[in-house]
Amino acid sequence: MSTPYPASMPHPEIERETPTAAFETTWPLTVVSAPDLQAPLAEEIRSLVTAKVSDRPFGVLLDATPEQAYKIICDSLIAGHVYVELISGQGENADELYQLVQRVDWSLHLAEEGYFAISATGATESLRHTGFVATRIKDAIVDQFRDRSGNRPSIDTDQPDIRLHCHLTASGHATLSLELSHGSLHRRGYRIDGGLAPLRETLAAGVLWRARWPQLASLMPDTEVGLFDPMCGSGTLVIEAALRLTGLPTELRQQRIGSPGWLGHDLAARQRALNAAPTGITGVDPAQFAGKLIGQDIDIEQIIAAKANAERAGVAHLVSFREADAWAEPCPNALEGITHGLLVSNLPYGHRLDITGGNAYGTPNSAPDFSTLTDQWQVCLNGWHWAVLLAEGEGKNWPLRYERAFPMDQSGIAIDMIRGNFDGKGRREAPGPIGLANRLSIAAASATEVVDAEPFANRLQKNFRHLKKIIAREGGCCYRVYDADLPDFNLAIDLYQDETGETWADIQEYRAPNTIDPQLARARLSVAVNQTITGLGLAPNHSVVRQRKRQTGSEQYQKITQERLERVVIEGGTRLMINLTDYLDTGLFLDHRYVRDWVAELSRGKSVLNLFCYTATASVRAAHQGAARTLSIDLSHTYLDWAERNFALNNIKVGTEHRLVRADVLEWLDQRQSSVYQPERFDVIFCDPPTFSNSKSMQDTLDIQRDHEQMIEICMHLLACEGILIFSNNLKGFKLSAHLTEEFLINDLSRKTLPPDFARTPHRRSVYEIRHRPRD
């Protein structure tokens, strides 16, 4: 019999006395999963029953009604075993264990002429052999019956009335449970020939859960959804995906309930659970997926086995299997036009790779080259999700970027499941900002021969300790930890903490003067990157390196890479998207965060105009804080699309109340000034123009020192009588027109709105509050 807990796994030491009846209203359940599937199991059980579920290293614990317990056994696809805890307590030696078992009234669980089986895991200093543990438990049970009536139950390991399991911790805590499920629940009964290195059915179900198959499937019928396994073997993943839609067949559900002679069974509850329809995905008709769940394999014998397995599982009408070479036929024609779905596969590794070596899967003793295949999937399955199983650590060689890796165990082989999206931008591009950061960090070992790292390391740590406290008090997420403090290390380092709590470093190198030896500049950058990663304790692949330079024309909106490292940060309670790799800027100007706070505060119940809005973070902050309406204007399609995503992240619909307009701001302002109609007035205007721009889409060039007077006067023409214009720019040495100070009330708030992490460079930015002068 399979054991529920690894021998070294500590069990929660929770005393549960057996009541006078077998149980009262609920049963204390232990549901065991395969290693690393505890979280999916907990999520699945929460979707099946309404109960408090506690995650544990071996699975989950919960108190369930009898009907809920039977439902979990009948309908969980991830659970491996289900146990009812009978008693737990101290059982460090043979006598203590015997006394603990004797505290259970066994007449409530087993007939005196009945049969039972016992297994055990774990050990203590005194109880080293599981066979002796099982024997001592048997003695306690048999002696209790013999003392009462002279009769006793017997051991039968093949067909017992009840199966018992005891787990011992090293500290001597014993937990004795009754197995409510019939053996390991991975045995669905549909798979006779599993093929090469087959996946356990429960592991396949867990992989599909991790791959978000239930969420994707629930898009039906509004959105057509498919599933594809290009190297399906005997079809387990495809069949389990279908069973997630239909639930298990009635006959199989009945066979999953174990310990048939247990006197504690609630027969009425068991029948209600069995009579209930199998649990699939709420609101989804499995018939709609017919022909859209497809598996293929190069081995015809595997395809024959897969078709037979699908028949036995009762899902042959939903799935389709075909013989095909993935490299020659990467995408089935049947999936053409289906824009949402999941590619999922247990790719060749280990034993499978040894046997298939030499064909399209690769050469003997080497991993296949998936780059050409993933390139084709990117095209024909664009918009789909993907999840693949690889040998442990092989994710580093996978040609696509992935969002997360999950360690798993397949029959004693350590593997990783990685998942991501086919979005046309997922191919790992070298030398992207992440890869560049990694290479520079590695090169630091030799760079320290010509560069002294200590001054930079000391300044970085000093800044970090100081600013971390300030940002924590502010409740901030993102700040600049280093701003070219030392002449030899001419770079800026920004830290971003995303909504999951992960910290990312954006390292921006300012181009060195021509008088500096390029090799020396590179060595200094290597040292700085390495000190940032190691000194700040950043996780692997959580740093990017880019070079800052002045952009002109269309360069302002051009991507510098295709890595698409996007994360959501929270500023002032508002969710905002940043991109750490693809553009020169991340989508969030950190030196303006106090200005955004101010705009959001001013905007409650007001109308807001945001000119040169970029990704519209100020508009989104304002709308999230209760602005009545916002209008955001920018010339870039890229940034306006980004702005719309920022609004959507906060469940704010872009439309009548919150508008995004693509326009040349100078031209738009000029039209409002020359219009014969009364222009729309705004309570708050935020104007943050670039220092200089000559984009080909603009009617004219923009020079902020030259053009600011006219720009501000037109903005004031659009400002309500009691309104406020916030005008800012980043031109070093900017001087405000004297004429404007005579015409309007102007308050220079450059210092007041300067965050402490930008205090070294106050001359780089100017911020003004501008109001109309009171009329006489």
Side-chain angles (χ1 to χ4, degrees):
M1 172 182 170
S2 299
T3 56
Y5 318 120
S8 61
M9 186 68 70
H11 190 277
E13 302 190 356
I14 304 171
E15 292 283 351
R16 280 170 167 165
E17 290 288 348
T18 304
T20 53
F23 293 100
E24 294 177 343
T25 58
T26 60
W27 294 349
L29 296 188
T30 298
V31 186
V32 179
S33 70
D36 303 303
L37 291 183
Q38 298 88 343
L41 173 64
E43 293 168 7
E44 182 194 50
I45 289 180
R46 291 185 185 106
S47 74
L48 292 173
V49 300
T50 303
K52 184 178 180 181
V53 179
S54 301
D55 297 34
R56 292 293 188 271
F58 50 79
V60 302
L61 298 178
L62 72 154
D63 289 330
T65 66
E67 187 170 348
Q68 289 175 330
Y70 294 124
K71 181 175 179 60
I72 291 169
I73 294 172
C74 291
D75 292 329
S76 172
L77 300 182
I78 303 176
H81 294 265
V82 179
Y83 297 90
V84 179
E85 184 182 311
L86 302 180
I87 197 167
S88 66
Q90 194 63 18
E92 196 278 333
N93 56 49
D95 290 339
E96 284 184 352
L97 182 62
Y98 182 96
Q99 293 300 323
L100 180 69
V101 177
Q102 282 258 310
R103 284 162 54 189
V104 179
D105 184 351
W106 290 100
S107 66
L108 299 175
H109 300 285
L110 179 65
E112 63 181 20
E113 308 86 15
Y115 298 89
F116 66 107
I118 306 169
S119 62
T121 54
T124 69
E125 280 293 324
S126 301
L127 301 173
R128 296 176 179 271
H129 302 288
T130 56
F132 178 72
V133 171
T135 299
R136 200 64 182 133
I137 294 171
K138 182 264 297 180
D139 291 343
I141 296 172
V142 167
D143 289 350
Q144 187 183 102
F145 277 101
R146 186 184 288 118
D147 290 344
R148 287 181 176 179
S149 65
N151 298 320
R152 53 154 288 180
S154 302
I155 292 290
D156 184 342
T157 58
D158 294 327
Q159 293 183 318
D161 294 311
I162 64 172
R163 288 188 182 274
L164 303 174
H165 181 81
C166 179
H167 180 69
L168 285 172
T169 69
S171 63
H173 190 85
T175 301
L176 184 62
S177 302
L178 177 139
E179 185 171 8
L180 196 59
S181 56
H182 182 60
S184 177
L185 295 178
H186 84 273
R187 300 187 185 98
R188 313 275 202 245
Y190 66 72
R191 196 170 69 183
I192 296 176
D193 179 10
L196 303 175
L199 282 179
R200 278 197 172 203
E201 294 87 337
T202 48
L203 177 58
V207 166
L208 289 161
W209 193 279
R210 286 284 199 197
R212 298 171 290 203
W213 171 239
Q215 294 94 315
L216 282 169
S218 65
L219 296 175
M220 289 283 264
D222 297 329
T223 302
E224 198 171 17
V225 177
L227 179 136
F228 177 44
D229 184 346
M231 302 174 197
C232 67
S234 57
T236 305
L237 282 165
V238 179
I239 293 169
E240 288 297 320
L243 289 174
R244 179 60 70 186
L245 303 174
T246 64
L248 292 168
T250 300
E251 182 180 357
L252 179 55
R253 296 171 83 236
Q254 293 172 341
Q255 297 171 359
R256 287 162 69 90
I257 299 175
S259 294
W262 181 41
L263 301 182
H265 273 303
D266 186 329
L267 301 182
R270 180 171 64 179
Q271 198 57 48
R272 287 195 299 271
L274 290 171
N275 290 342
T279 300
I281 297 177
T282 304
V284 173
D285 179 6
Q288 296 171 330
F289 286 85
K292 300 182 180 71
L293 309 181
I294 300 175
Q296 72 178 34
D297 201 278
I298 198 170
D299 186 349
I300 185 59
E301 296 299 324
Q302 294 280 65
I303 294 300
I304 293 171
K307 291 179 178 179
N309 290 341
E311 285 284 352
R312 285 187 288 269
V315 295
H317 62 296
L318 297 180
V319 304
S320 173
F321 293 103
R322 66 175 194 153
E323 178 191 5
D325 178 350
W327 272 261
E329 299 181 63
C331 299
N333 293 333
L335 297 176
E336 187 173 348
I338 300 179
T339 58
H340 291 74
L342 173 66
L343 181 145
V344 60
S345 195
N346 178 26
L347 299 178
Y349 57 84
H351 182 58
R352 277 181 78 196
L353 186 58
D354 292 340
I355 294 176
T356 58
N359 61 25
Y361 288 167
T363 57
N365 303 315
S366 68
D369 178 10
F370 288 102
S371 57
T372 56
L373 188 54
T374 55
D375 284 348
Q376 295 178 84
W377 287 338
Q378 288 265 59
V379 176
C380 61
L381 300 178
N382 188 41
W384 280 42
H385 294 257
W386 59 262
V388 296
L389 297 177
L390 301 169
E392 182 182 35
E394 280 303 311
K396 65 181 182 297
N397 298 320
W398 184 245
L400 299 180
R401 289 191 308 277
Y402 54 91
E403 64 184 54
R404 192 168 176 186
F406 299 91
M408 295 182 178
D409 181 275
Q410 161 61 357
S411 301
I413 301 174
I415 60 175
D416 290 331
M417 184 199 112
I418 59 175
R419 72 184 189 195
N421 303 307
F422 293 125
D423 55 9
K425 305 170 184 177
R427 183 73 184 269
R428 287 179 173 171
E429 297 288 340
I434 296 176
L436 178 58
N438 291 337
R439 288 191 297 275
L440 286 168
S441 181
I442 293 171
S446 58
T448 53
E449 297 176 5
V450 294
V451 176
D452 183 4
E454 186 174 357
F456 176 82
N458 291 341
R459 178 58 65 92
L460 181 66
Q461 286 298 319
K462 178 182 177 182
N463 291 356
F464 179 66
R465 287 192 297 269
H466 171 65
L467 292 169
K468 184 171 65 171
K469 297 175 182 178
I470 296 175
I471 302 303
R473 287 196 298 268
E474 294 177 354
C477 64
C478 315
Y479 61 99
R480 177 158 293 182
V481 72
Y482 180 89
D483 195 8
D485 298 39
L486 304 175
D488 286 348
F489 296 91
N490 192 24
L491 48 92
I493 303 172
D494 297 334
L495 297 182
Y496 294 83
Q497 185 180 70
D498 66 24
E499 63 179 357
T500 69
E502 293 184 323
T503 299
W504 304 79
D506 180 23
I507 304 169
Q508 306 146 65
E509 179 196 20
Y510 297 110
R511 179 176 288 177
N514 294 334
T515 56
I516 300 296
D517 180 359
Q519 291 185 340
L520 177 59
R522 187 76 167 188
R524 289 170 175 169
L525 179 60
S526 295
V527 167
V529 171
N530 179 263
Q531 288 297 322
T532 301
I533 294 173
T534 59
L536 302 185
L538 298 174
N541 298 316
H542 278 53
S543 302
V544 301
V545 174
R546 294 172 294 172
Q547 187 181 73
R548 295 202 67 86
K549 62 179 181 178
R550 182 172 179 174
Q551 292 179 304
T552 60
S554 60
E555 286 183 336
Q556 298 171 80
Y557 309 116
Q558 293 300 311
K559 290 188 174 182
I560 59 175
T561 184
Q562 298 285 336
E563 288 193 275
R564 197 178 181 181
L565 175 57
E566 295 180 335
R567 289 296 181 269
V568 175
V569 300
I570 299 177
E571 183 184 84
T574 304
R575 303 176 74 219
L576 301 171
M577 178 71 71
I578 62 169
N579 185 315
L580 289 162
T581 52
D582 294 6
Y583 303 90
L584 188 60
D585 294 302
T586 65
L588 187 67
F589 293 135
L590 300 188
D591 61 332
H592 259 43
R593 63 179 184 270
Y594 287 0
V595 177
R596 288 189 293 272
D597 290 345
W598 186 30
V599 171
E601 183 65 28
L602 291 172
S603 300
R604 289 192 176 98
K606 305 292 182 63
S607 58
V608 180
L609 172 63
N610 187 356
L611 300 173
F612 305 97
C613 71
Y614 189 41
T615 59
T617 53
S619 302
V620 177
R621 290 280 313 270
H624 195 244
Q625 289 292 322
R629 56 189 175 91
T630 63
L631 172 59
S632 306
I633 302 175
D634 201 277
L635 188 58
S636 167
H637 281 301
T638 299
Y639 293 144
L640 290 177
D641 290 344
W642 196 332
E644 187 167 4
R645 294 177 68 191
N646 277 333
F647 276 101
L649 282 172
N650 295 279
N651 298 314
I652 301 171
K653 186 176 181 180
V654 172
T656 304
E657 294 179 351
H658 301 289
R659 292 174 289 162
L660 297 173
V661 173
R662 180 179 181 269
D664 177 346
V665 173
L666 296 181
E667 183 181 358
W668 187 88
L669 287 173
D670 185 64
Q671 290 172 350
R672 284 355 180 232
Q673 183 185 39
S674 59
S675 175
V676 296
Y677 301 102
Q678 181 68 23
E680 183 180 5
R681 305 289 185 183
F682 297 89
D683 301 310
V684 178
I685 299 178
F686 178 41
C687 182
D688 182 35
T691 298
F692 180 85
S693 181
N694 63 348
S695 169
K696 288 188 291 186
S697 300
M698 294 179 62
Q699 293 295 316
D700 201 355
T701 60
L702 169 65
D703 182 319
I704 195 58
Q705 185 62 68
R706 180 193 68 197
D707 300 327
H708 78 275
E709 180 175 330
Q710 182 183 9
M711 185 184 299
I712 289 175
E713 287 190 340
I714 300 175
C715 286
M716 296 304 289
H717 179 61
L718 302 177
L719 187 68
C721 293
E722 300 299 321
I724 298 177
L725 166 65
I726 303 168
F727 179 80
S728 64
N729 69 80
N730 287 81
L731 175 63
K732 182 178 178 180
F734 173 78
K735 295 193 180 300
L736 191 68
S737 166
H739 172 72
L740 293 174
T741 60
E742 295 172 0
E743 188 174 354
F744 306 109
L745 292 175
I746 300 179
N747 188 13
D748 186 346
L749 296 181
S750 303
R751 287 282 184 178
K752 185 176 180 180
T753 60
L754 183 68
D757 41 321
F758 289 86
R760 289 193 68 257
T761 55
H763 54 280
R764 291 183 186 171
R765 60 194 292 281
S766 302
V767 182
Y768 300 93
E769 175 190 81
I770 307 176
R771 301 172 185 262
H772 291 292
R773 287 190 178 275
R775 295 181 181 178
D776 296 333

